[in-house]
Amino acid sequence: MSRPILALLLLGLSPFPAHTANTVAVDQAGYTTSARKVGILTARADSFSVVNVATRKAVFRGATGTAIRGDASTGMDLWKADFSALRTPGEYVLVASTGDSSQRFIIADSVYDPLFRASLKGFYYQRCGTPLAPAFAGPYARTQPCHMADGVFHPTVPGDTAGLDETG
């Protein structure tokens, strides 16, 4: 790593353009190599590039797509940056021609593995009626099962409430 970049990083400064909230949005989980890859821009830009974080070199360039005027969900005008042709694994930033940039994102076939593990761990932590072993639950371990007594619902709760807490 070059000394100027190292100095910037040590000072907590990024060598990439400043991220402006909600200006350039990408999938925060990342993308698989063969997936459709689209960034959304909330500020008008004619073009964009995808920059490799490690090399700081643009590895893909493209024109922004047709604007969506008054998006039904947000009311905002949105522009599309399609970089689906980029299939090389790595860590990247999408930079609009305006200078605005996205958060870092990853392209890799294993990009969803951490989300899968975190989801399963979350389901494990939510188990009731059984202890959670320290080897698997770490600081969230419990030696005694929880919610062993029948629950009581307020009389205004309509219908059958059986099974509402059966994740364990």
Side-chain angles (χ1 to χ4, degrees):
M1 181 178 295
S2 73
R3 288 180 194 243
I5 293 174
L6 180 59
L8 287 173
L9 293 175
L10 290 174
L11 291 172
L13 303 173
S14 172
F16 296 102
H19 169 73
T20 307
N22 299 325
T23 301
V24 181
V26 292
D27 187 337
Q28 61 187 352
Y31 305 88
T32 59
T33 56
S34 61
R36 182 170 183 229
K37 301 167 196 72
V38 176
I40 302 297
L41 290 68
T42 60
R44 180 172 170 71
D46 297 326
S47 62
F48 68 95
S49 60
V50 179
V51 176
N52 182 299
V53 170
T55 65
R56 295 189 62 213
K57 297 198 183 305
V59 296
F60 185 90
R61 295 181 193 279
T64 57
T66 306
I68 300 168
R69 302 286 182 194
D71 174 63
S73 297
T74 64
M76 300 171 76
D77 295 339
L78 305 173
W79 288 263
K80 180 171 62 170
D82 190 330
F83 54 102
S84 298
L86 177 58
R87 294 173 171 254
T88 307
E91 187 175 13
Y92 301 96
V93 175
L94 193 150
V95 181
S97 59
T98 59
D100 296 315
S101 66
S102 71
Q103 295 287 343
R104 293 176 178 200
F105 62 91
I106 294 173
I107 296 176
D109 286 329
S110 60
V111 75
Y112 296 121
D113 291 355
L115 296 174
F116 173 72
R117 283 189 207 79
S119 295
L120 287 181
K121 187 67 93 168
F123 289 129
Y124 180 76
Y125 291 149
Q126 294 175 29
R127 294 176 68 181
C128 289
T130 185
L132 298 182
F136 304 113
Y140 305 103
R142 62 174 177 256
T143 58
Q144 299 297 313
C146 65
H147 297 111
M148 295 304 293
D150 287 339
V152 178
F153 291 92
H154 194 273
T156 61
V157 175
D160 182 14
T161 57
L164 287 180
D165 190 28
E166 294 181 358
T167 59

